Amino acid sequence: MKKYLTIAIFAMFCVNTFAQKGDKAVGVNLSYGTEIKNIGIGVKGQYNFTDAIRAELSGDYFLKKDDLSMWDVNLNLHYLFPIGEKLKVYPLAGLSYTNWKFDYSIDFDDFGDYDTEWAKWSGAVSEDDEDFSDSSSEGHFGANLGGGIQYDLTKNLVINAEAKYQIISDFNQIVFGVGLAYKF
């Protein structure tokens, strides 16, 4: 009986130190994607369904590098575990949609007259073209798995750091992020 009473008291203590049901927050992110190998900037919104369960909708735009750019939209659930009065850790799981865009161009002057003449003869470019450019983009749905840590700077200002593995066909990557959010 003492064992169950101890567990019940511990559970009540934990629930009282979590975020409050109905809390909302908006914030900004700075991310790094391991597959795109570049930084991203983003925004997020959070809503606490219960004292421990929080939903987060976020979007990131990864800066263009080597003619490749990417953006993603994520809907994740967090389960908050208090470590201290102001410190919480959370596992996360959710859904993701990511879009990768590749812009490419070929300057035929770089190849000399022979290759330019061949490209014109083959119909790849017209007589007036001196270069060729195009772009392609591809988007996929996937899943997120990861975790993070949150520290309450003030009653309304929170910082966090997290890592999530985006499981997406042909686009798997780990995304590391830091963020700042305002709770209201």
Side-chain angles (χ1 to χ4, degrees), residues 35-77:
E35 187 65 26
I36 193 165
K37 295 181 175 69
N38 208 359
I39 61 170
I41 54 175
V43 295
K44 63 183 171 185
Q46 299 173 335
Y47 180 79
N48 286 73
F49 291 111
T50 69
D51 293 341
I53 299 173
R54 170 174 71 198
E56 179 180 85
L57 178 64
S58 66
D60 295 299
Y61 174 77
F62 290 84
L63 303 176
K64 192 173 187 177
K65 180 180 179 184
D66 298 329
D67 298 322
L68 181 66
S69 62
M70 180 195 138
W71 58 266
D72 66 12
V73 176
N74 304 283
L75 178 59
N76 295 315
L77 289 177

Side-chain angles (χ1 to χ4, degrees), residues 20-41:
Q20 296 298 308
K21 177 181 177 180
D23 277 356
K24 299 171 209 66
V26 293
V28 293
N29 296 324
L30 184 62
S31 304
Y32 178 81
T34 59
E35 187 65 26
I36 193 165
K37 295 181 175 69
N38 208 359
I39 61 170
I41 54 175

Side-chain angles (χ1 to χ4, degrees), residues 107-124:
D107 184 358
F108 287 108
D109 292 335
D110 293 341
F111 296 104
D113 290 335
Y114 177 78
D115 288 332
T116 303
E117 292 304 316
W118 180 85
K120 290 177 182 176
W121 175 80
S122 69

Side-chain angles (χ1 to χ4, degrees), residues 67-167:
D67 298 322
L68 181 66
S69 62
M70 180 195 138
W71 58 266
D72 66 12
V73 176
N74 304 283
L75 178 59
N76 295 315
L77 289 177
H78 301 168
Y79 193 91
L80 303 169
F81 291 100
I83 301 299
E85 186 178 323
K86 295 183 175 192
L87 188 64
K88 298 171 184 71
V89 296
Y90 56 90
L92 70 84
L95 302 173
S96 182
Y97 178 80
T98 184
N99 185 282
W100 295 65
K101 183 177 180 187
F102 183 69
D103 295 317
Y104 51 92
S105 63
I106 300 170
D107 184 358
F108 287 108
D109 292 335
D110 293 341
F111 296 104
D113 290 335
Y114 177 78
D115 288 332
T116 303
E117 292 304 316
W118 180 85
K120 290 177 182 176
W121 175 80
S122 69
V125 295
S126 70
E127 289 291 326
D128 298 330
D129 286 341
E130 293 188 18
D131 60 16
F132 174 79
S133 63
D134 202 359
S135 67
S136 65
S137 67
E138 193 169 339
H140 291 278
F141 287 96
N144 294 324
L145 295 174
I149 188 166
Q150 167 184 311
Y151 183 77
D152 298 340
L153 292 171
T154 67
K155 179 182 175 188
N156 296 83
L157 200 57
V158 175
I159 60 172
N160 77 300
E162 69 180 31
K164 64 185 171 204
Y165 186 64
Q166 292 183 320
I167 306 166

